[in-house]
C-alpha cells in the first residue's frame, strides 16, 4: 500500500466526518491496515473482528443501502447504543473504498492558465461522463479587486476520449482540443489540492 494514498484516503474520511474523534479515525485505520476488509459484492463488505478493538464476533457485515451504511454490529448487544453512530467497521470500509478509488485508473487532461476572469466549458452532452475539478491560487493581488489567479483545471473521465472545450480567460475565448489520457485517480487529487 502506498503511504500517499493512505494519507489521502484518511483526509477524505475526515472531510466526510469532521466531528469524529482522532481515536475513531485511528481505529478505522488499524482495521484497514490490518487488511480486515474484504469486498463481498458491490454493496457488501465483510470486516474481520479484532479482539484488541473490543469486537465480540469474528466477522461483521457492512452493507450500503439507500445512501447509508449498516453494520451487523448494530444488531448485537450494543446495537441500541451503536445504531445512531457510524461504527469503525463502517469507517474501515469507507477507508478501503476511498483507497481503492484513489488507486484506480482515470483518463485526464490538465489545463493551466493565469487570468483574472476564467471559465472552462465542457459540451453539455458530456456532462455526467466527464468531470472538471480545479485549483485556484492568487498569484498577483496588486489590483485588489481584480487579482490574477493561477488556475489548474483537471478534466477527467472513466473512459479515454477526445473532446472540445471552451476556455475563457480575461475575455479571450479559446477552443481547446483535449485528449484524456490514462493516469491514476490520486494524481488528479494531488493536482487540485
Ligand atoms: Zn460495526
Amino acid at each position: 500500500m502506498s503511504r500517499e494514498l493512505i494519507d489521502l484516503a484518511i483526509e477524505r474520511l475526515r472531510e466526510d466526518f469532521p466531528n469524529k474523534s482522532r481515536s475513531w479515525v485511528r481505529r478505522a485505520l488499524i482495521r484497514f491496515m490490518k487488511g480486515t476488509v474484504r469486498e463481498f459484492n458491490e454493496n457488501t463488505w465483510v470486516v474481520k473482528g479484532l479482539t484488541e478493538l473490543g469486537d465480540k464476533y469474528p466477522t461483521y457485515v457492512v452493507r450500503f443501502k439507500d445512501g447509508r451504511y449498516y453494520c451487523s454490529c448494530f444488531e448485537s448487544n450494543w446495537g441500541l447504543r451503536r445504531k445512531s453512530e457510524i461504527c469503525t467497521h463502517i469507517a474501515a470500509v469507507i477507508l478501503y473504498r476511498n483507497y481503492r478509488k484513489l488507486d484506480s485508473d482515470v483518463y485526464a487532461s490538465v489545463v493551466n492558465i493565469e487570468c483574472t476572469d476564467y471559465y472552462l466549458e465542457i459540451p453539455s452532452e458530456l456532462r455526467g461522463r466527464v468531470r472538471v475539478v480545479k485549483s485556484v491560487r492568487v498569484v498577483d493581488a496588486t489590483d485588489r479587486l481584480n487579482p490574477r489567479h493561477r488556475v489548474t483545471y483537471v478534466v477527467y473521465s472513466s473512459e479515454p476520449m477526445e473532446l472540445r472545450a471552451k476556455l475563457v480567460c480575461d475575455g479571450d475565448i479559446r477552443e481547446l482540443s483535449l485528449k484524456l489520457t490514462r493516469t491514476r485517480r490520486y494524481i488528479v487529487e494531488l493536482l487540485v489540492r
Side-chain angles (χ1 to χ4, degrees):
M1 281 192 283
S2 139
R3 178 75 223 188
E4 200 155 46
L5 263 68
I6 293 167
D7 285 348
L8 279 170
I10 296 169
E11 209 175 288
R12 294 291 161 276
L13 181 70
R14 285 213 168 104
E15 280 165 12
D16 289 345
F17 302 95
N19 299 321
K20 288 293 184 183
S21 66
R22 279 176 167 272
S23 102
W24 181 84
V25 174
R26 193 178 54 83
R27 280 177 288 146
L29 184 59
I30 291 169
R31 294 189 191 282
F32 172 66
M33 297 296 279
K34 290 206 166 196
T36 64
V37 182
R38 291 273 175 277
E39 189 174 300
F40 183 72
N41 64 36
E42 204 187 330
N43 293 307
T44 311
W45 299 264
V46 175
V47 182
K48 223 193 283 172
L50 293 174
T51 48
E52 67 261 41
L53 295 183
D55 289 335
K56 304 267 190 295
Y57 296 94
T59 56
Y60 294 85
V61 178
V62 172
R63 288 193 173 83
F64 187 72
K65 203 180 141 207
D66 302 328
R68 62 165 292 198
Y69 287 96
Y70 298 86
C71 182
S72 60
C73 77
F74 292 173
E75 289 134 35
S76 73
N77 293 341
W78 300 97
L80 286 179
R81 187 176 65 84
R82 280 180 140 169
K83 198 153 199 161
S84 60
E85 296 175 12
I86 294 179
C87 65
T88 58
H89 306 118
I90 291 175
V93 166
I94 295 172
L95 265 183
Y96 171 88
R97 297 188 75 190
N98 287 353
Y99 186 96
R100 292 272 298 255
K101 191 175 169 191
L102 290 163
D103 200 28
S104 64
D105 283 342
V106 288
Y107 297 84
S109 179
V110 179
V111 179
N112 282 303
I113 45 165
E114 265 190 42
C115 333
T116 299
D117 294 308
Y118 48 87
Y119 186 66
L120 181 74
E121 192 178 276
I122 296 293
S124 55
E125 66 269 21
L126 289 177
R127 268 179 218 145
R129 278 169 69 205
V130 175
R131 295 198 57 197
V132 181
V133 286
K134 66 172 188 281
S135 93
V136 179
R137 285 190 185 90
V138 173
V139 285
D140 182 1
T142 323
D143 180 350
R144 285 181 169 226
L145 292 176
N146 299 297
R148 264 184 98 66
H149 301 99
R150 178 167 179 76
V151 186
T152 300
Y153 285 107
V154 182
V155 179
Y156 69 96
S157 170
S158 58
E159 51 195 312
M161 66 169 84
E162 286 189 55
L163 60 103
R164 294 200 158 272
K166 200 164 76 178
L167 179 68
V168 180
C169 175
D170 295 339
D172 174 40
I173 304 171
R174 263 189 294 162
E175 179 109 338
L176 301 178
S177 178
L178 301 177
K179 187 177 174 162
L180 309 190
T181 55
R182 191 154 71 116
T183 183
R184 307 269 290 291
R185 184 69 170 77
Y186 80 96
I187 300 289
V188 172
E189 303 271 336
L190 290 175
L191 281 168
V192 295
R193 278 179 111 183

